[in-house]
Amino acid sequence: MNILTESLPLAIEIDGIEYEINSGFRSCLRIILAFEDNELADAEKRMILLNNLYKSMPHDIPQAIKKGIRFLDGGKDSGNGESNGESELRLYSFEQDASYIMAAFKQTHGIDLDAVEMHWWKFLALFMDLGSETTFSSLVSLRKRVKTGKATKEERAVAREIKEIFDLPDIDRRTLEEREAEAHFMELVATGKKQHKQDIEYPEEAIND
């Protein structure tokens, strides 16, 4: 689809049925923020996608999720199974960088995001064209140079100085089963350490002998 020649989509077709969607950038950002949240299980993230994107729940849930993710990706399929490494680097966060993104929209495009309604795909197009002179773009550029090993000594020092805004937490991509298995393992480890400590404690009468 060419956004210059065709109207931006307001519905998603699933099994021959068109389902109206909440196409505004705020609704879509709420979904993106949920997918960034490591405290949420995959099932919770999918449910947030369905509830925030679709105005009525589609009958084919797997297709609704698949096509919903495609819509969030700007109508493009997310990947072909190949990777060049750099594309997987996490260089920004809509949660952590929110204030810098808002300022960059104002500085580059003269748009106050707090005062407008905007289709998600239009937001994405403008987001990808934020000016290099903005704090947000400078921060993204610095993250990329550091993570790819191309940063200078001075740039690495700057990254350390602004660690609180520079560092981004990794997104936990494990399944719920994998998380539960790790939590169970850590519980067993903690129980074992506690038991070991009890085993080596001497009775009071032995200490007094």
Side-chain angles (χ1 to χ4, degrees):
M1 174 181 176
N2 189 324
I3 64 174
L4 296 177
T5 59
E6 300 176 55
S7 299
L8 297 176
L10 303 176
I12 292 177
E13 183 178 326
I14 302 171
D15 298 331
I17 302 174
E18 284 200 346
Y19 293 90
E20 287 189 53
I21 58 173
N22 297 307
S23 59
F25 75 95
R26 291 185 182 86
S27 295
C28 295
L29 279 176
R30 280 192 284 270
I31 301 170
I32 300 297
L33 292 176
F35 275 77
E36 287 187 2
D37 190 345
N38 288 333
E39 298 299 317
L40 295 176
D42 288 344
E44 293 175 300
K45 294 177 181 182
R46 290 192 289 268
M47 187 54 64
I48 289 173
L49 183 153
L50 293 169
N51 288 334
N52 280 274
L53 185 59
Y54 294 95
K55 293 187 177 182
S56 62
M57 191 64 67
H59 292 88
D60 190 336
I61 298 301
Q63 277 297 309
I65 293 171
K66 180 179 179 180
K67 292 195 173 184
I69 291 175
R70 189 173 187 271
F71 174 81
L72 293 172
D73 286 338
K76 302 173 183 176
D77 293 321
S78 52
N80 57 4
E82 300 178 357
S83 172
N84 61 10
E86 282 193 14
S87 61
E88 295 182 351
L89 293 177
R90 190 181 187 201
L91 301 178
Y92 61 86
S93 162
F94 283 114
E95 176 69 44
Q96 185 168 314
D97 299 333
S99 59
Y100 301 113
I101 293 171
M102 177 172 278
F105 263 84
K106 182 68 173 178
Q107 184 176 344
T108 303
H109 305 300
I111 295 174
D112 181 358
L113 290 177
D114 188 47
V116 300
E117 299 296 331
M118 188 188 307
H119 191 282
W120 173 240
W121 286 12
K122 182 177 180 181
F123 174 91
L124 285 179
L126 295 173
F127 175 74
M128 297 305 295
D129 193 37
L130 293 177
S132 59
E133 72 283 357
T134 64
T135 298
F136 173 70
S137 293
S138 297
L139 185 56
V140 169
S141 180
L142 179 59
R143 284 172 179 153
K144 184 174 182 179
R145 289 198 298 277
V146 170
K147 291 186 177 185
T148 56
K150 298 177 181 178
T152 64
K153 180 179 179 181
E154 291 75 17
E155 287 175 331
R156 292 195 298 272
V158 170
R160 289 192 295 271
E161 289 176 5
I162 61 171
K163 182 179 178 63
E164 288 188 3
I165 64 173
F166 177 85
D167 288 345
L168 295 176
D170 293 328
I171 296 178
D172 191 346
R173 302 186 186 280
R174 295 173 299 167
T175 64
L176 178 60
E177 291 76 14
E178 290 171 334
R179 296 187 195 186
E180 290 178 342
E182 180 176 335
H184 180 62
F185 173 75
M186 296 306 295
E187 183 179 344
L188 290 176
V189 171
T191 302
K193 288 182 178 180
K194 182 177 181 181
Q195 184 61 49
H196 178 68
K197 182 178 180 181
Q198 291 174 343
D199 290 344
I200 65 174
E201 286 179 350
Y202 295 99
E204 186 176 347
E205 55 272 18
I207 297 176
N208 295 330
D209 287 345

